[in-house]
Amino acid sequence: MWTIIVILIFSVIAYFITDNLIPKLKDLFINAGLYGVDLCKISKEKIPEAIGVVSGCVFLVTIFLFIPIVFGNNLIDTRLFPHNEFAELLAGLLSICCMLLLGFADDVLDLRWKYKLLLPTVASLPLLVVYYVNFNSTTIIVPVPLRQILGSSVNIGFLYYVYMGMLAVFCTNAINILAGINGLEVGQSVIIAISIIIFDILELGGEQQKAHTFSLHIMIPYLATTLALLKHNWYPSKVFIGDTFCYVSGMTFAVVAILGHFSKTVLLFFIPQILNFIYSTPQLFHIIPCPRHRLPKYCVETDLVEASRTVIKKSDINAISGIILRILSLLHLVNKVEDNQCIYTNNFTLINLFLIKLGPMSEAKLTICLLLFQCICSCLAFLIRYPMATYFYNV
Ligand code: UD1
Ligand code: MG
């Protein structure tokens, strides 16, 4: 328990350091050409981009300084040194470090989408190797209703590693595509982190105590540095976080999910991101045209944001895109108007869907609505994880 108290103290210090550093480093980023313009504001002032690198670095340094404290006792008598646990922590940090570097490269070079998928796969390799060496458990427990057909457990072997690699790719990109209004990326990450911390605390007394302590050692400093970032990224944003932050966050969640053996529970905390991803697939796979930015459209006269639109030429509509549009229309998930030549639909993001259903609103209110939805989904996740898991898994 004392290590948790130490990491709490370290994290409070990390919060204040991040909070202090961000305003001081802002001009450095602008001078280096790392800035963007807020597309939902009248003012076209330069806003520093990729500030997630600051919170990411403080987060990593906090854990580096913490290593001698966690493993301190074993450093005196090295014969008992827990090499496996140490390797786990180092592999986790290496993967997060890789994502920080690659995310920053993305912000500077504006990489293409195929690389955005490739980079997390490569960065998750250290994690998968250490998982192979330390656990190599690729057996999944079958839910009770399916046990008569499949038996009580199934060993899926190599496919389990594919699943873990895909988890890292999903977590990193899912946050990045539920984005574009002030405070949303950081806000959703804060709620996911708090949900994981609550889950860790609930499970601390159980069989997986070590895994959840490991998770807390990572999540607490992550939450502290992210809260400091949120303070500066909240409406009206004084800094943009860049893809660096989305990548670091996604990989941090993937690290605790994989090494803490609770990837299904972490996925439950990603319900809004999963819904947004499914809804986005027609545009992500270019079945429906996908503009560079899908964030909501700002209306100067009303100072409100409304759903942004994409244009589909009727001559470009094929069987698949036609079916998708019909299904989405039937489900009332799309707002479309058409003329002789084109169909104009909203961009397929959860943010735009909220605007279609609730009407135009201020940017800050929209962020709060989406974050409230994230909180509700976390409550739902706990409901699924506890009462319903008892039914499905007899635990
Ligand atoms: C992803 C989304 C894109 C969305 C963008 C916004 C997909 C496939 N891509 O692209 O639709 O528009 O994120 O982050 O879904 N910005 C604001 N206000 C904010 C945050 C960002 O105006 O609160 C603008 C700024 O101009 C900033 C830019 O978005 O410079 C950053 O976009 P970037 O993160 O590079 O976009 P992607 O991650 O590629
Ligand atoms: Mg982005």
Side-chain angles (χ1 to χ4, degrees), residues 36-39 49 113 116 176-177 179-182 185 240 243 284 292-295:
V37 172
D38 198 325
L39 301 172
E49 183 80 78
W113 268 93
K116 295 190 189 214
N176 192 27
I177 61 169
I181 52 172
N182 292 180
E185 292 110 307
F240 287 147
D243 292 346
L284 295 181
R292 168 69 183 86
H293 280 291
R294 302 192 297 160
L295 53 80

mmCIF file with all atom_site columns, all heavy atoms in Angstrom, residues 36-39 49 113 116 176-177 179-182 185 240 243 284 292-295, ligand 1:
data_model
loop_
_atom_site.group_PDB
_atom_site.id
_atom_site.type_symbol
_atom_site.label_atom_id
_atom_site.label_alt_id
_atom_site.label_comp_id
_atom_site.label_asym_id
_atom_site.label_entity_id
_atom_site.label_seq_id
_atom_site.pdbx_PDB_ins_code
_atom_site.Cartn_x
_atom_site.Cartn_y
_atom_site.Cartn_z
_atom_site.occupancy
_atom_site.B_iso_or_equiv
_atom_site.pdbx_formal_charge
_atom_site.auth_seq_id
_atom_site.auth_comp_id
_atom_site.auth_asym_id
_atom_site.auth_atom_id
_atom_site.pdbx_PDB_model_num
ATOM   1   N N   . GLY A 1 36  ? -1.980  25.419 -34.422 1.00 0.00 ? 36  GLY A N   1
ATOM   2   C CA  . GLY A 1 36  ? -3.164  25.219 -35.249 1.00 0.00 ? 36  GLY A CA  1
ATOM   3   C C   . GLY A 1 36  ? -4.121  26.362 -35.009 1.00 0.00 ? 36  GLY A C   1
ATOM   4   O O   . GLY A 1 36  ? -3.874  27.228 -34.160 1.00 0.00 ? 36  GLY A O   1
ATOM   5   N N   . VAL A 1 37  ? -5.207  26.370 -35.768 1.00 0.00 ? 37  VAL A N   1
ATOM   6   C CA  . VAL A 1 37  ? -6.224  27.407 -35.593 1.00 0.00 ? 37  VAL A CA  1
ATOM   7   C C   . VAL A 1 37  ? -7.482  26.718 -35.109 1.00 0.00 ? 37  VAL A C   1
ATOM   8   O O   . VAL A 1 37  ? -7.842  25.644 -35.602 1.00 0.00 ? 37  VAL A O   1
ATOM   9   C CB  . VAL A 1 37  ? -6.469  28.127 -36.940 1.00 0.00 ? 37  VAL A CB  1
ATOM   10  C CG1 . VAL A 1 37  ? -7.657  29.061 -36.845 1.00 0.00 ? 37  VAL A CG1 1
ATOM   11  C CG2 . VAL A 1 37  ? -5.230  28.878 -37.370 1.00 0.00 ? 37  VAL A CG2 1
ATOM   12  N N   . ASP A 1 38  ? -8.154  27.326 -34.117 1.00 0.00 ? 38  ASP A N   1
ATOM   13  C CA  . ASP A 1 38  ? -9.385  26.728 -33.610 1.00 0.00 ? 38  ASP A CA  1
ATOM   14  C C   . ASP A 1 38  ? -10.484 26.946 -34.648 1.00 0.00 ? 38  ASP A C   1
ATOM   15  O O   . ASP A 1 38  ? -10.884 28.082 -34.915 1.00 0.00 ? 38  ASP A O   1
ATOM   16  C CB  . ASP A 1 38  ? -9.757  27.373 -32.264 1.00 0.00 ? 38  ASP A CB  1
ATOM   17  C CG  . ASP A 1 38  ? -10.747 26.498 -31.517 1.00 0.00 ? 38  ASP A CG  1
ATOM   18  O OD1 . ASP A 1 38  ? -11.591 25.874 -32.183 1.00 0.00 ? 38  ASP A OD1 1
ATOM   19  O OD2 . ASP A 1 38  ? -10.670 26.433 -30.270 1.00 0.00 ? 38  ASP A OD2 1
ATOM   20  N N   . LEU A 1 39  ? -10.970 25.848 -35.220 1.00 0.00 ? 39  LEU A N   1
ATOM   21  C CA  . LEU A 1 39  ? -11.928 25.941 -36.331 1.00 0.00 ? 39  LEU A CA  1
ATOM   22  C C   . LEU A 1 39  ? -13.336 26.317 -35.857 1.00 0.00 ? 39  LEU A C   1
ATOM   23  O O   . LEU A 1 39  ? -14.204 26.611 -36.658 1.00 0.00 ? 39  LEU A O   1
ATOM   24  C CB  . LEU A 1 39  ? -11.957 24.620 -37.107 1.00 0.00 ? 39  LEU A CB  1
ATOM   25  C CG  . LEU A 1 39  ? -10.596 24.193 -37.696 1.00 0.00 ? 39  LEU A CG  1
ATOM   26  C CD1 . LEU A 1 39  ? -10.658 22.790 -38.268 1.00 0.00 ? 39  LEU A CD1 1
ATOM   27  C CD2 . LEU A 1 39  ? -10.137 25.174 -38.770 1.00 0.00 ? 39  LEU A CD2 1
ATOM   28  N N   . GLU A 1 49  ? 0.137   23.480 -30.793 1.00 0.00 ? 49  GLU A N   1
ATOM   29  C CA  . GLU A 1 49  ? -0.355  22.117 -31.070 1.00 0.00 ? 49  GLU A CA  1
ATOM   30  C C   . GLU A 1 49  ? 0.620   21.115 -30.430 1.00 0.00 ? 49  GLU A C   1
ATOM   31  O O   . GLU A 1 49  ? 1.758   21.482 -30.116 1.00 0.00 ? 49  GLU A O   1
ATOM   32  C CB  . GLU A 1 49  ? -0.391  21.967 -32.602 1.00 0.00 ? 49  GLU A CB  1
ATOM   33  C CG  . GLU A 1 49  ? -0.931  20.677 -33.152 1.00 0.00 ? 49  GLU A CG  1
ATOM   34  C CD  . GLU A 1 49  ? -2.443  20.593 -33.178 1.00 0.00 ? 49  GLU A CD  1
ATOM   35  O OE1 . GLU A 1 49  ? -3.065  21.187 -34.082 1.00 0.00 ? 49  GLU A OE1 1
ATOM   36  O OE2 . GLU A 1 49  ? -2.979  19.916 -32.301 1.00 0.00 ? 49  GLU A OE2 1
ATOM   37  N N   . TRP A 1 113 ? -3.092  7.965  -43.066 1.00 0.00 ? 113 TRP A N   1
ATOM   38  C CA  . TRP A 1 113 ? -3.847  7.091  -42.166 1.00 0.00 ? 113 TRP A CA  1
ATOM   39  C C   . TRP A 1 113 ? -3.285  5.679  -42.040 1.00 0.00 ? 113 TRP A C   1
ATOM   40  O O   . TRP A 1 113 ? -3.351  5.074  -40.987 1.00 0.00 ? 113 TRP A O   1
ATOM   41  C CB  . TRP A 1 113 ? -5.324  7.055  -42.563 1.00 0.00 ? 113 TRP A CB  1
ATOM   42  C CG  . TRP A 1 113 ? -6.034  8.119  -41.803 1.00 0.00 ? 113 TRP A CG  1
ATOM   43  C CD1 . TRP A 1 113 ? -6.269  9.399  -42.225 1.00 0.00 ? 113 TRP A CD1 1
ATOM   44  C CD2 . TRP A 1 113 ? -6.503  8.050  -40.458 1.00 0.00 ? 113 TRP A CD2 1
ATOM   45  N NE1 . TRP A 1 113 ? -6.865  10.118 -41.226 1.00 0.00 ? 113 TRP A NE1 1
ATOM   46  C CE2 . TRP A 1 113 ? -7.030  9.318  -40.129 1.00 0.00 ? 113 TRP A CE2 1
ATOM   47  C CE3 . TRP A 1 113 ? -6.540  7.049  -39.489 1.00 0.00 ? 113 TRP A CE3 1
ATOM   48  C CZ2 . TRP A 1 113 ? -7.575  9.608  -38.897 1.00 0.00 ? 113 TRP A CZ2 1
ATOM   49  C CZ3 . TRP A 1 113 ? -7.086  7.338  -38.249 1.00 0.00 ? 113 TRP A CZ3 1
ATOM   50  C CH2 . TRP A 1 113 ? -7.590  8.604  -37.971 1.00 0.00 ? 113 TRP A CH2 1
ATOM   51  N N   . LYS A 1 116 ? -0.890  5.591  -39.368 1.00 0.00 ? 116 LYS A N   1
ATOM   52  C CA  . LYS A 1 116 ? -1.504  5.728  -38.042 1.00 0.00 ? 116 LYS A CA  1
ATOM   53  C C   . LYS A 1 116 ? -1.934  4.366  -37.529 1.00 0.00 ? 116 LYS A C   1
ATOM   54  O O   . LYS A 1 116 ? -2.061  4.154  -36.335 1.00 0.00 ? 116 LYS A O   1
ATOM   55  C CB  . LYS A 1 116 ? -2.709  6.675  -38.094 1.00 0.00 ? 116 LYS A CB  1
ATOM   56  C CG  . LYS A 1 116 ? -2.317  8.089  -38.428 1.00 0.00 ? 116 LYS A CG  1
ATOM   57  C CD  . LYS A 1 116 ? -3.468  9.044  -38.227 1.00 0.00 ? 116 LYS A CD  1
ATOM   58  C CE  . LYS A 1 116 ? -3.104  10.406 -38.782 1.00 0.00 ? 116 LYS A CE  1
ATOM   59  N NZ  . LYS A 1 116 ? -3.624  11.520 -38.091 1.00 0.00 ? 116 LYS A NZ  1
ATOM   60  N N   . ASN A 1 176 ? -8.577  9.495  -30.954 1.00 0.00 ? 176 ASN A N   1
ATOM   61  C CA  . ASN A 1 176 ? -8.228  10.511 -31.956 1.00 0.00 ? 176 ASN A CA  1
ATOM   62  C C   . ASN A 1 176 ? -9.373  10.831 -32.907 1.00 0.00 ? 176 ASN A C   1
ATOM   63  O O   . ASN A 1 176 ? -9.435  11.929 -33.468 1.00 0.00 ? 176 ASN A O   1
ATOM   64  C CB  . ASN A 1 176 ? -6.994  10.038 -32.738 1.00 0.00 ? 176 ASN A CB  1
ATOM   65  C CG  . ASN A 1 176 ? -6.391  11.142 -33.574 1.00 0.00 ? 176 ASN A CG  1
ATOM   66  O OD1 . ASN A 1 176 ? -6.522  12.319 -33.244 1.00 0.00 ? 176 ASN A OD1 1
ATOM   67  N ND2 . ASN A 1 176 ? -5.756  10.778 -34.667 1.00 0.00 ? 176 ASN A ND2 1
ATOM   68  N N   . ILE A 1 177 ? -10.303 9.880  -33.124 1.00 0.00 ? 177 ILE A N   1
ATOM   69  C CA  . ILE A 1 177 ? -11.394 10.183 -34.068 1.00 0.00 ? 177 ILE A CA  1
ATOM   70  C C   . ILE A 1 177 ? -12.669 10.651 -33.355 1.00 0.00 ? 177 ILE A C   1
ATOM   71  O O   . ILE A 1 177 ? -13.619 11.050 -34.011 1.00 0.00 ? 177 ILE A O   1
ATOM   72  C CB  . ILE A 1 177 ? -11.692 9.014  -35.045 1.00 0.00 ? 177 ILE A CB  1
ATOM   73  C CG1 . ILE A 1 177 ? -12.133 7.760  -34.311 1.00 0.00 ? 177 ILE A CG1 1
ATOM   74  C CG2 . ILE A 1 177 ? -10.514 8.736  -35.947 1.00 0.00 ? 177 ILE A CG2 1
ATOM   75  C CD1 . ILE A 1 177 ? -12.681 6.692  -35.260 1.00 0.00 ? 177 ILE A CD1 1
ATOM   76  N N   . ALA A 1 179 ? -13.007 13.472 -31.717 1.00 0.00 ? 179 ALA A N   1
ATOM   77  C CA  . ALA A 1 179 ? -12.219 14.658 -31.388 1.00 0.00 ? 179 ALA A CA  1
ATOM   78  C C   . ALA A 1 179 ? -12.642 15.849 -32.222 1.00 0.00 ? 179 ALA A C   1
ATOM   79  O O   . ALA A 1 179 ? -13.380 15.703 -33.192 1.00 0.00 ? 179 ALA A O   1
ATOM   80  C CB  . ALA A 1 179 ? -10.752 14.357 -31.671 1.00 0.00 ? 179 ALA A CB  1
ATOM   81  N N   . GLY A 1 180 ? -12.149 17.016 -31.834 1.00 0.00 ? 180 GLY A N   1
ATOM   82  C CA  . GLY A 1 180 ? -12.347 18.205 -32.660 1.00 0.00 ? 180 GLY A CA  1
ATOM   83  C C   . GLY A 1 180 ? -13.037 19.345 -31.945 1.00 0.00 ? 180 GLY A C   1
ATOM   84  O O   . GLY A 1 180 ? -13.119 20.443 -32.475 1.00 0.00 ? 180 GLY A O   1
ATOM   85  N N   . ILE A 1 181 ? -13.565 19.086 -30.718 1.00 0.00 ? 181 ILE A N   1
ATOM   86  C CA  . ILE A 1 181 ? -14.102 20.218 -29.956 1.00 0.00 ? 181 ILE A CA  1
ATOM   87  C C   . ILE A 1 181 ? -13.312 20.318 -28.649 1.00 0.00 ? 181 ILE A C   1
ATOM   88  O O   . ILE A 1 181 ? -12.836 19.304 -28.136 1.00 0.00 ? 181 ILE A O   1
ATOM   89  C CB  . ILE A 1 181 ? -15.624 20.097 -29.692 1.00 0.00 ? 181 ILE A CB  1
ATOM   90  C CG1 . ILE A 1 181 ? -15.990 18.752 -29.060 1.00 0.00 ? 181 ILE A CG1 1
ATOM   91  C CG2 . ILE A 1 181 ? -16.419 20.335 -30.967 1.00 0.00 ? 181 ILE A CG2 1
ATOM   92  C CD1 . ILE A 1 181 ? -17.429 18.683 -28.607 1.00 0.00 ? 181 ILE A CD1 1
ATOM   93  N N   . ASN A 1 182 ? -13.190 21.523 -28.165 1.00 0.00 ? 182 ASN A N   1
ATOM   94  C CA  . ASN A 1 182 ? -12.303 21.805 -27.028 1.00 0.00 ? 182 ASN A CA  1
ATOM   95  C C   . ASN A 1 182 ? -12.562 20.878 -25.840 1.00 0.00 ? 182 ASN A C   1
ATOM   96  O O   . ASN A 1 182 ? -13.680 20.761 -25.349 1.00 0.00 ? 182 ASN A O   1
ATOM   97  C CB  . ASN A 1 182 ? -12.485 23.254 -26.554 1.00 0.00 ? 182 ASN A CB  1
ATOM   98  C CG  . ASN A 1 182 ? -11.988 24.283 -27.571 1.00 0.00 ? 182 ASN A CG  1
ATOM   99  O OD1 . ASN A 1 182 ? -12.059 25.474 -27.331 1.00 0.00 ? 182 ASN A OD1 1
ATOM   100 N ND2 . ASN A 1 182 ? -11.474 23.825 -28.693 1.00 0.00 ? 182 ASN A ND2 1
ATOM   101 N N   . GLU A 1 185 ? -11.091 15.239 -26.253 1.00 0.00 ? 185 GLU A N   1
ATOM   102 C CA  . GLU A 1 185 ? -10.130 14.118 -26.218 1.00 0.00 ? 185 GLU A CA  1
ATOM   103 C C   . GLU A 1 185 ? -9.617  13.918 -24.792 1.00 0.00 ? 185 GLU A C   1
ATOM   104 O O   . GLU A 1 185 ? -9.564  12.797 -24.283 1.00 0.00 ? 185 GLU A O   1
ATOM   105 C CB  . GLU A 1 185 ? -8.923  14.379 -27.129 1.00 0.00 ? 185 GLU A CB  1
ATOM   106 C CG  . GLU A 1 185 ? -9.217  14.380 -28.597 1.00 0.00 ? 185 GLU A CG  1
ATOM   107 C CD  . GLU A 1 185 ? -9.111  15.776 -29.174 1.00 0.00 ? 185 GLU A CD  1
ATOM   108 O OE1 . GLU A 1 185 ? -9.754  16.701 -28.637 1.00 0.00 ? 185 GLU A OE1 1
ATOM   109 O OE2 . GLU A 1 185 ? -8.389  15.949 -30.176 1.00 0.00 ? 185 GLU A OE2 1
ATOM   110 N N   . PHE A 1 240 ? -3.658  23.006 -27.943 1.00 0.00 ? 240 PHE A N   1
ATOM   111 C CA  . PHE A 1 240 ? -4.182  21.762 -28.530 1.00 0.00 ? 240 PHE A CA  1
ATOM   112 C C   . PHE A 1 240 ? -3.251  20.625 -28.126 1.00 0.00 ? 240 PHE A C   1
ATOM   113 O O   . PHE A 1 240 ? -2.047  20.825 -27.990 1.00 0.00 ? 240 PHE A O   1
ATOM   114 C CB  . PHE A 1 240 ? -4.255  21.859 -30.054 1.00 0.00 ? 240 PHE A CB  1
ATOM   115 C CG  . PHE A 1 240 ? -5.363  22.735 -30.572 1.00 0.00 ? 240 PHE A CG  1
ATOM   116 C CD1 . PHE A 1 240 ? -5.206  23.461 -31.742 1.00 0.00 ? 240 PHE A CD1 1
ATOM   117 C CD2 . PHE A 1 240 ? -6.576  22.820 -29.892 1.00 0.00 ? 240 PHE A CD2 1
ATOM   118 C CE1 . PHE A 1 240 ? -6.232  24.264 -32.226 1.00 0.00 ? 240 PHE A CE1 1
ATOM   119 C CE2 . PHE A 1 240 ? -7.604  23.619 -30.366 1.00 0.00 ? 240 PHE A CE2 1
ATOM   120 C CZ  . PHE A 1 240 ? -7.426  24.349 -31.531 1.00 0.00 ? 240 PHE A CZ  1
ATOM   121 N N   . ASP A 1 243 ? -1.961  14.716 -31.820 1.00 0.00 ? 243 ASP A N   1
ATOM   122 C CA  . ASP A 1 243 ? -2.134  13.268 -31.869 1.00 0.00 ? 243 ASP A CA  1
ATOM   123 C C   . ASP A 1 243 ? -1.225  12.596 -30.838 1.00 0.00 ? 243 ASP A C   1
ATOM   124 O O   . ASP A 1 243 ? -1.481  11.469 -30.414 1.00 0.00 ? 243 ASP A O   1
ATOM   125 C CB  . ASP A 1 243 ? -1.828  12.741 -33.277 1.00 0.00 ? 243 ASP A CB  1
ATOM   126 C CG  . ASP A 1 243 ? -2.872  13.211 -34.274 1.00 0.00 ? 243 ASP A CG  1
ATOM   127 O OD1 . ASP A 1 243 ? -3.928  13.703 -33.825 1.00 0.00 ? 243 ASP A OD1 1
ATOM   128 O OD2 . ASP A 1 243 ? -2.645  13.110 -35.481 1.00 0.00 ? 243 ASP A OD2 1
ATOM   129 N N   . LEU A 1 284 ? -14.283 6.086  -42.724 1.00 0.00 ? 284 LEU A N   1
ATOM   130 C CA  . LEU A 1 284 ? -12.885 5.671  -42.521 1.00 0.00 ? 284 LEU A CA  1
ATOM   131 C C   . LEU A 1 284 ? -12.413 4.798  -43.678 1.00 0.00 ? 284 LEU A C   1
ATOM   132 O O   . LEU A 1 284 ? -11.260 4.867  -44.081 1.00 0.00 ? 284 LEU A O   1
ATOM   133 C CB  . LEU A 1 284 ? -12.725 4.913  -41.195 1.00 0.00 ? 284 LEU A CB  1
ATOM   134 C CG  . LEU A 1 284 ? -12.995 5.714  -39.911 1.00 0.00 ? 284 LEU A CG  1
ATOM   135 C CD1 . LEU A 1 284 ? -12.781 4.844  -38.691 1.00 0.00 ? 284 LEU A CD1 1
ATOM   136 C CD2 . LEU A 1 284 ? -12.102 6.949  -39.839 1.00 0.00 ? 284 LEU A CD2 1
ATOM   137 N N   . ARG A 1 292 ? -11.051 16.117 -44.673 1.00 0.00 ? 292 ARG A N   1
ATOM   138 C CA  . ARG A 1 292 ? -9.911  16.148 -43.734 1.00 0.00 ? 292 ARG A CA  1
ATOM   139 C C   . ARG A 1 292 ? -10.400 16.370 -42.297 1.00 0.00 ? 292 ARG A C   1
ATOM   140 O O   . ARG A 1 292 ? -9.922  15.752 -41.374 1.00 0.00 ? 292 ARG A O   1
ATOM   141 C CB  . ARG A 1 292 ? -8.942  17.268 -44.168 1.00 0.00 ? 292 ARG A CB  1
ATOM   142 C CG  . ARG A 1 292 ? -7.849  17.632 -43.162 1.00 0.00 ? 292 ARG A CG  1
ATOM   143 C CD  . ARG A 1 292 ? -6.840  16.511 -43.031 1.00 0.00 ? 292 ARG A CD  1
ATOM   144 N NE  . ARG A 1 292 ? -5.823  16.790 -42.032 1.00 0.00 ? 292 ARG A NE  1
ATOM   145 C CZ  . ARG A 1 292 ? -5.951  16.536 -40.731 1.00 0.00 ? 292 ARG A CZ  1
ATOM   146 N NH1 . ARG A 1 292 ? -7.074  16.009 -40.261 1.00 0.00 ? 292 ARG A NH1 1
ATOM   147 N NH2 . ARG A 1 292 ? -4.977  16.795 -39.895 1.00 0.00 ? 292 ARG A NH2 1
ATOM   148 N N   . HIS A 1 293 ? -11.362 17.271 -42.119 1.00 0.00 ? 293 HIS A N   1
ATOM   149 C CA  . HIS A 1 293 ? -11.912 17.507 -40.769 1.00 0.00 ? 293 HIS A CA  1
ATOM   150 C C   . HIS A 1 293 ? -13.395 17.182 -40.749 1.00 0.00 ? 293 HIS A C   1
ATOM   151 O O   . HIS A 1 293 ? -14.143 17.639 -41.600 1.00 0.00 ? 293 HIS A O   1
ATOM   152 C CB  . HIS A 1 293 ? -11.696 18.957 -40.351 1.00 0.00 ? 293 HIS A CB  1
ATOM   153 C CG  . HIS A 1 293 ? -10.306 19.198 -39.867 1.00 0.00 ? 293 HIS A CG  1
ATOM   154 N ND1 . HIS A 1 293 ? -9.835  18.674 -38.691 1.00 0.00 ? 293 HIS A ND1 1
ATOM   155 C CD2 . HIS A 1 293 ? -9.281  19.883 -40.413 1.00 0.00 ? 293 HIS A CD2 1
ATOM   156 C CE1 . HIS A 1 293 ? -8.576  19.037 -38.521 1.00 0.00 ? 293 HIS A CE1 1
ATOM   157 N NE2 . HIS A 1 293 ? -8.212  19.759 -39.555 1.00 0.00 ? 293 HIS A NE2 1
ATOM   158 N N   . ARG A 1 294 ? -13.783 16.406 -39.733 1.00 0.00 ? 294 ARG A N   1
ATOM   159 C CA  . ARG A 1 294 ? -15.203 16.065 -39.584 1.00 0.00 ? 294 ARG A CA  1
ATOM   160 C C   . ARG A 1 294 ? -15.801 16.758 -38.365 1.00 0.00 ? 294 ARG A C   1
ATOM   161 O O   . ARG A 1 294 ? -16.902 16.451 -37.935 1.00 0.00 ? 294 ARG A O   1
ATOM   162 C CB  . ARG A 1 294 ? -15.362 14.548 -39.446 1.00 0.00 ? 294 ARG A CB  1
ATOM   163 C CG  . ARG A 1 294 ? -14.789 13.765 -40.623 1.00 0.00 ? 294 ARG A CG  1
ATOM   164 C CD  . ARG A 1 294 ? -15.221 12.325 -40.586 1.00 0.00 ? 294 ARG A CD  1
ATOM   165 N NE  . ARG A 1 294 ? -14.735 11.622 -39.413 1.00 0.00 ? 294 ARG A NE  1
ATOM   166 C CZ  . ARG A 1 294 ? -15.256 10.494 -38.950 1.00 0.00 ? 294 ARG A CZ  1
ATOM   167 N NH1 . ARG A 1 294 ? -16.292 9.961  -39.569 1.00 0.00 ? 294 ARG A NH1 1
ATOM   168 N NH2 . ARG A 1 294 ? -14.751 9.904  -37.887 1.00 0.00 ? 294 ARG A NH2 1
ATOM   169 N N   . LEU A 1 295 ? -15.013 17.647 -37.747 1.00 0.00 ? 295 LEU A N   1
ATOM   170 C CA  . LEU A 1 295 ? -15.509 18.307 -36.522 1.00 0.00 ? 295 LEU A CA  1
ATOM   171 C C   . LEU A 1 295 ? -16.710 19.191 -36.857 1.00 0.00 ? 295 LEU A C   1
ATOM   172 O O   . LEU A 1 295 ? -16.905 19.568 -38.023 1.00 0.00 ? 295 LEU A O   1
ATOM   173 C CB  . LEU A 1 295 ? -14.377 19.082 -35.845 1.00 0.00 ? 295 LEU A CB  1
ATOM   174 C CG  . LEU A 1 295 ? -13.543 20.095 -36.618 1.00 0.00 ? 295 LEU A CG  1
ATOM   175 C CD1 . LEU A 1 295 ? -14.248 21.405 -36.769 1.00 0.00 ? 295 LEU A CD1 1
ATOM   176 C CD2 . LEU A 1 295 ? -12.222 20.307 -35.898 1.00 0.00 ? 295 LEU A CD2 1
HETATM 177 C C1  . UD1 B 2 .   ? -9.149  13.735 -36.421 1.00 0.00 ? 1   UD1 B C1  1
HETATM 178 C C2  . UD1 B 2 .   ? -10.473 13.466 -37.140 1.00 0.00 ? 1   UD1 B C2  1
HETATM 179 C C3  . UD1 B 2 .   ? -10.976 14.721 -37.840 1.00 0.00 ? 1   UD1 B C3  1
HETATM 180 C C4  . UD1 B 2 .   ? -11.121 15.844 -36.808 1.00 0.00 ? 1   UD1 B C4  1
HETATM 181 C C5  . UD1 B 2 .   ? -9.775  16.068 -36.124 1.00 0.00 ? 1   UD1 B C5  1
HETATM 182 C C6  . UD1 B 2 .   ? -9.934  17.098 -35.021 1.00 0.00 ? 1   UD1 B C6  1
HETATM 183 C C7  . UD1 B 2 .   ? -11.221 11.475 -38.295 1.00 0.00 ? 1   UD1 B C7  1
HETATM 184 C C8  . UD1 B 2 .   ? -10.957 10.501 -39.360 1.00 0.00 ? 1   UD1 B C8  1
HETATM 185 N N1  . UD1 B 2 .   ? -10.299 12.440 -38.128 1.00 0.00 ? 1   UD1 B N1  1
HETATM 186 O O1  . UD1 B 2 .   ? -8.175  13.970 -37.428 1.00 0.00 ? 1   UD1 B O1  1
HETATM 187 O O2  . UD1 B 2 .   ? -12.217 14.476 -38.431 1.00 0.00 ? 1   UD1 B O2  1
HETATM 188 O O3  . UD1 B 2 .   ? -11.555 17.032 -37.444 1.00 0.00 ? 1   UD1 B O3  1
HETATM 189 O O4  . UD1 B 2 .   ? -9.303  14.823 -35.535 1.00 0.00 ? 1   UD1 B O4  1
HETATM 190 O O5  . UD1 B 2 .   ? -9.010  16.996 -34.000 1.00 0.00 ? 1   UD1 B O5  1
HETATM 191 O O6  . UD1 B 2 .   ? -12.230 11.399 -37.599 1.00 0.00 ? 1   UD1 B O6  1
HETATM 192 N N2  . UD1 B 2 .   ? -9.151  21.450 -33.701 1.00 0.00 ? 1   UD1 B N2  1
HETATM 193 C C9  . UD1 B 2 .   ? -10.062 22.423 -33.344 1.00 0.00 ? 1   UD1 B C9  1
HETATM 194 N N3  . UD1 B 2 .   ? -10.582 22.388 -32.084 1.00 0.00 ? 1   UD1 B N3  1
HETATM 195 C C10 . UD1 B 2 .   ? -10.251 21.414 -31.178 1.00 0.00 ? 1   UD1 B C10 1
HETATM 196 C C11 . UD1 B 2 .   ? -9.322  20.420 -31.564 1.00 0.00 ? 1   UD1 B C11 1
HETATM 197 C C12 . UD1 B 2 .   ? -8.793  20.465 -32.829 1.00 0.00 ? 1   UD1 B C12 1
HETATM 198 O O7  . UD1 B 2 .   ? -10.367 23.314 -34.127 1.00 0.00 ? 1   UD1 B O7  1
HETATM 199 O O8  . UD1 B 2 .   ? -10.744 21.426 -30.055 1.00 0.00 ? 1   UD1 B O8  1
HETATM 200 C C13 . UD1 B 2 .   ? -8.538  21.516 -35.045 1.00 0.00 ? 1   UD1 B C13 1
HETATM 201 C C14 . UD1 B 2 .   ? -7.357  22.488 -35.050 1.00 0.00 ? 1   UD1 B C14 1
HETATM 202 O O9  . UD1 B 2 .   ? -7.317  23.142 -36.285 1.00 0.00 ? 1   UD1 B O9  1
HETATM 203 C C15 . UD1 B 2 .   ? -6.174  21.553 -34.896 1.00 0.00 ? 1   UD1 B C15 1
HETATM 204 C C16 . UD1 B 2 .   ? -6.656  20.329 -35.653 1.00 0.00 ? 1   UD1 B C16 1
HETATM 205 O O10 . UD1 B 2 .   ? -8.066  20.228 -35.395 1.00 0.00 ? 1   UD1 B O10 1
HETATM 206 O O11 . UD1 B 2 .   ? -5.006  22.093 -35.441 1.00 0.00 ? 1   UD1 B O11 1
HETATM 207 C C17 . UD1 B 2 .   ? -5.984  19.056 -35.216 1.00 0.00 ? 1   UD1 B C17 1
HETATM 208 O O12 . UD1 B 2 .   ? -6.403  18.038 -36.028 1.00 0.00 ? 1   UD1 B O12 1
HETATM 209 P P1  . UD1 B 2 .   ? -5.607  16.647 -36.069 1.00 0.00 ? 1   UD1 B P1  1
HETATM 210 O O13 . UD1 B 2 .   ? -5.518  16.081 -34.687 1.00 0.00 ? 1   UD1 B O13 1
HETATM 211 O O14 . UD1 B 2 .   ? -4.338  16.810 -36.812 1.00 0.00 ? 1   UD1 B O14 1
HETATM 212 O O15 . UD1 B 2 .   ? -6.616  15.782 -36.941 1.00 0.00 ? 1   UD1 B O15 1
HETATM 213 P P2  . UD1 B 2 .   ? -6.634  14.201 -37.089 1.00 0.00 ? 1   UD1 B P2  1
HETATM 214 O O16 . UD1 B 2 .   ? -6.271  13.549 -35.817 1.00 0.00 ? 1   UD1 B O16 1
HETATM 215 O O17 . UD1 B 2 .   ? -5.875  13.810 -38.302 1.00 0.00 ? 1   UD1 B O17 1
#
